[in-house]
Amino acid sequence: MKIRRLDPENYPKVSALLAQAFPGSRLEAQLVDNLHQKNRVMHEWVCLHVNSVIAYIAFTNAYEGSTVCGLHLAPLAVKPDFQRQGIGSELLRFALRQEVIADSPVFVLGNPKFYRKFGFVSCATPTCPFDQKNAHFLGLRNVTARAFVVGYEPEFTLGKR
Ligand SMILES: CC(C)(COP(=O)(O)OP(=O)(O)OC[C@H]1O[C@@H](n2cnc3c(N)ncnc32)[C@H](O)[C@@H]1OP(=O)(O)O)[C@@H](O)C(=O)NCCC(=O)NCCS
C-alpha cells in the first residue's frame, strides 16, 4: 500500500470510493466533486493498493470571517472491504505529519471516539455551523479563546440544504 498526493486523474476513483464508503448518500462524493470544480485550496492524499484507490483524506480551509484560521478535515473514507484494518488510522497519521497540516489547527466533525486517538479534543470554540451542540466537533492545536462560528468553503453549505 502506498500513500500519495491525489492526482487529478484519480478524481473519478475518489468519487466512486466516497459513494461506496457512505452508502445511500451522494453528498460526500458531490461535495468533493464540487470543491474540485471550484478549484478550492485542498490538501488530499490517497492510499493506493495495486491500481485502486482504497482510502482518501482531504483538508480544506477553515475561516474566521474571511481570514483562514485552520483546516477542516473532511472527508476521510476507506473502501468498505478494507475498513477496520488500520488503513484509515495510518492515512490520518500520515496526513497529520505533513508540513502543510502539521503547522495548522485542524478541525473535524466526526466520531469523538475515533478522533481522540489522534490527539483531537472537544472544541468549545469555535462552534461548528453543522453541529448544534458542538458535541462531535473536535480540534487539534486549537488555542482560540474567541467565540465565533467557524466558516467552511461554500460547497459544504450547499450540501446541507
Ligand atoms: C471511519 C473510517 C474512516 C475509519 O477507517 P478504518 O480504516 O476503517 O479504521 P481503522 O481500522 O484505522 O480504525 C478502526 C477504528 O475506526 C472506527 N470505526 C471504523 N469503522 C467504524 C464504523 N463503521 N462505525 C464506527 N466507528 C468505526 C472505530 O473507532 C475503530 O476502532 P475499533 O475497531 O477499536 O472499534 C472508515 O471506517 C470509513 O470510511 N467509514 C465510512 C465512512 C465514514 O464514516 N467516515 C467518517 C469520517 S468523515
Side-chain angles (χ1 to χ4, degrees):
M1 191 189 74
K2 299 176 286 195
I3 298 178
R4 295 285 182 270
R5 273 204 174 269
L6 173 62
D7 187 311
E9 80 177 20
N10 279 329
Y11 284 179
K13 288 185 182 174
V14 165
S15 302
L17 161 65
L18 291 170
Q20 280 186 298
F22 295 91
S25 165
R26 286 288 305 168
L27 280 183
E28 287 75 14
Q30 199 63 65
L31 166 65
V32 170
D33 289 349
N34 291 345
L35 290 164
H36 286 154
Q37 235 168 40
K38 294 283 179 182
N39 285 315
R40 299 295 180 201
V41 173
M42 294 181 84
H43 310 290
E44 303 165 280
W45 289 272
V46 287
C47 289
L48 301 172
H49 176 65
V50 192
N51 219 358
S52 79
V53 173
I54 59 165
Y56 169 71
I57 193 167
F59 298 81
T60 51
N61 283 342
Y63 296 94
E64 178 177 2
S66 55
T67 305
V68 175
C69 66
L71 295 166
H72 290 297
L73 190 183
L76 168 63
V78 176
K79 211 171 174 142
D81 288 353
F82 293 88
Q83 288 177 7
R84 292 204 123 109
Q85 298 171 30
I87 293 170
S89 299
E90 190 177 333
L91 181 58
L92 176 53
R93 283 207 178 88
F94 173 91
L96 294 177
R97 285 198 304 268
Q98 303 311 298
E99 202 176 326
V100 67
I101 309 297
D103 288 345
S104 174
V106 180
F107 301 102
V108 68
L109 179 59
N111 182 344
K113 186 173 163 266
F114 180 70
Y115 286 103
R116 279 201 185 106
K117 293 184 217 167
F118 307 93
F120 285 83
V121 294
S122 299
C123 206
T125 179
T127 52
C128 171
F130 309 123
D131 186 10
Q132 288 270 314
K133 295 187 173 153
N134 242 28
H136 297 92
F137 193 62
L138 297 103
L140 180 69
R141 297 184 287 273
N142 169 40
V143 292
T144 184
R146 293 176 308 283
F148 65 96
V149 178
V150 73
Y152 284 73
E153 299 295 5
E155 289 67 33
F156 283 86
T157 317
L158 297 175
K160 303 279 169 188
R161 270 182 202 149

